[in-house]
Amino acid sequence: MSISQEKLDSFQARMSAWVASQGILFQLKHGGGVQGARHSVISSVVSVGLRLALLLVVVALGFWWYLDRRVGSAGFSEGISSGLTVSLGADELELGGVSREGGYLRIPILVVSGGDDSFFKETDRDTEDDKPVPGLFAKGIRTKMGLLDGVLTAWDGESVDVEEMVIELRSGAESAGDGAGLFDTLFAQSETFRFSRLVVADMTIRWGYSEATKGEIRNARMEATRNEEGWSLVFTDGQFSQNWLRDLEIKTIEALVRPDGLEVTNADLKQGDGMVTFTAEVSGPVTDPRLSGSGAFQSLSITPFVEPEVRDYLGGDISGDFILSGSTYAQEGVRIS
């Protein structure tokens, strides 16, 4: 019994159409046994592949658009503000327009009022508009940020670079309860952002509440590096003042900041041809931090350290050793003997 070619072609066409309607997996498994179905399988695979590729391209473009635009969104700025408020223990925080340029996150300006858990606090130092000085002010902040940082990968900024920063440092607390965890934020690492280095081109740190305790490092360059114990600090340039030692030029100040206190391992200062060197340590409870240390001065002009009305009658250079004691917080103040 012979089958006409016309009937055979018609049967194979119906089988091919039926196989094509069964789905891609059935076609891949059985389509090869039906003449004409193989071409249908290939056509289906190509069609599905093209659709899938197009879908992936659309998803990729949408995800890239989100990554590129998220830093400029209100939600991202609010997240940065909220994270900084918590990590700094701040009461109030204001920051300028956050942006991402050239692989770096940039914050033009940051103004923070210190809270009960912060290591800084606004002060009533004299200002032109009689407004309190914020506890922490910074401008020109920059840190590394890739497109995927904080989304698919951990965000490690490595180094935070700042053009200018001013900190009104808290030197202690009235009670142990008020001072509990006062400096903890200095050593904590955020789960969402990590960095191991802080570089400030123009750094000013002020401390003390009275003429007997006030001191400052002004307009210095600071490099702070995180280590196992806390932070290693190096100051260069700028000026140092404490008590009658005023406006000494900083050659180098090296210090270690740990949870149990501060240690100045080397301070090398000068004034004209005169030199001042010292080491010091601040330790003890936050209610009564104690200062101890020693140093020496050589060929230091006495003129800047005496009152203007007696400068015409008293002058010369002084050299000698001195002992540091007292407190940067208690009423007795810092003593230089």
Side-chain angles (χ1 to χ4, degrees):
M1 180 177 179
S2 63
I3 302 175
S4 68
Q5 185 64 41
E6 182 179 346
K7 290 181 178 181
L8 182 59
D9 292 343
S10 176
F11 172 77
Q12 289 175 339
R14 290 197 299 274
M15 285 297 296
S16 178
W18 179 79
V19 170
S21 67
Q22 299 307 301
I24 190 65
L25 294 178
F26 184 89
Q27 294 178 47
L28 291 172
K29 185 174 181 181
H30 303 288
V34 180
Q35 184 176 351
R38 180 178 296 276
H39 298 290
S40 177
V41 171
I42 295 174
S43 177
S44 297
V45 171
V46 171
S47 177
V48 171
L50 288 175
R51 292 177 183 178
L52 182 60
L54 181 60
L55 177 62
L56 290 175
V57 169
V58 171
V59 170
L61 288 174
F63 188 51
W64 179 87
W65 183 88
Y66 161 75
L67 292 175
D68 189 55
R69 296 291 190 274
R70 72 185 178 109
V71 173
S73 67
F76 184 85
S77 294
E78 290 173 2
I80 292 291
S81 178
S82 175
L84 285 171
T85 299
V86 172
S87 62
L88 293 173
D91 274 352
E92 296 181 5
L93 184 146
E94 300 176 13
L95 66 154
V98 180
S99 63
R100 181 183 174 276
E101 301 174 15
Y104 287 89
L105 178 79
R106 299 176 186 272
I107 301 176
I109 192 167
L110 176 66
V111 181
V112 190
S113 296
D116 293 337
D117 298 325
S118 64
F119 60 90
F120 53 89
K121 193 171 186 179
E122 66 180 16
T123 73
D124 57 358
R125 293 179 186 272
D126 295 335
T127 58
E128 293 181 359
D129 52 11
D130 294 327
K131 292 182 178 180
V133 175
L136 188 153
F137 168 83
K139 72 175 185 180
I141 304 170
R142 187 185 77 160
T143 188
K144 276 184 60 178
M145 184 184 186
L147 272 178
L148 300 178
D149 285 345
V151 180
L152 297 181
T153 61
W155 183 8
D156 186 352
E158 297 180 4
S159 176
V160 176
D161 300 326
V162 185
E163 291 179 8
E164 180 184 355
M165 181 179 290
V166 179
I167 296 177
E168 301 289 339
L169 190 66
R170 291 180 67 177
S171 302
E174 289 297 318
S175 67
D178 293 338
L182 189 62
F183 297 99
D184 288 354
T185 55
L186 283 173
F187 310 103
Q189 278 273 41
S190 170
E191 295 181 359
T192 56
F193 173 71
R194 302 177 67 87
F195 69 101
S196 57
R197 189 166 173 259
L198 173 66
V199 179
V200 183
D202 184 347
M203 178 62 137
T204 295
I205 303 176
R206 302 188 182 105
W207 58 86
Y209 299 91
S210 65
E211 290 302 318
T213 59
K214 282 182 180 180
E216 68 176 4
I217 291 174
R218 186 175 68 253
N219 303 130
R221 174 180 172 81
M222 185 194 78
E223 293 190 21
T225 305
R226 196 186 296 271
N227 55 43
E228 294 181 356
E229 296 182 324
W231 289 93
S232 174
L233 276 56
V234 178
F235 296 90
T236 52
D237 302 322
Q239 291 82 41
F240 171 87
S241 295
Q242 180 69 61
N243 293 48
W244 58 272
L245 294 172
R246 303 188 194 104
D247 301 325
L248 299 177
E249 298 177 38
I250 298 173
K251 294 182 66 178
T252 305
I253 296 179
E254 299 175 1
L256 299 174
V257 181
R258 300 184 297 261
D260 62 347
L262 164 71
E263 180 183 1
V264 179
T265 57
N266 175 60
D268 192 358
L269 316 169
K270 70 173 185 175
Q271 184 188 77
D273 296 329
M275 303 292 296
V276 177
T277 59
F278 70 87
T279 59
E281 186 173 358
V282 180
S283 59
V286 293
T287 54
D288 187 25
R290 308 307 301 176
L291 171 67
S292 61
S294 61
F297 46 88
Q298 182 178 2
S299 301
L300 199 65
S301 173
I302 198 173
T303 303
F305 308 127
V306 297
E307 297 299 326
E309 53 267 23
V310 299
R311 288 176 184 172
D312 291 340
Y313 312 100
L314 182 64
D317 297 340
I318 55 175
S319 299
D321 302 323
F322 61 89
I323 300 295
L324 293 169
S325 62
S327 172
T328 57
Y329 184 71
Q331 186 175 359
E332 64 185 287
V334 174
R335 296 175 177 175
I336 304 177
S337 304

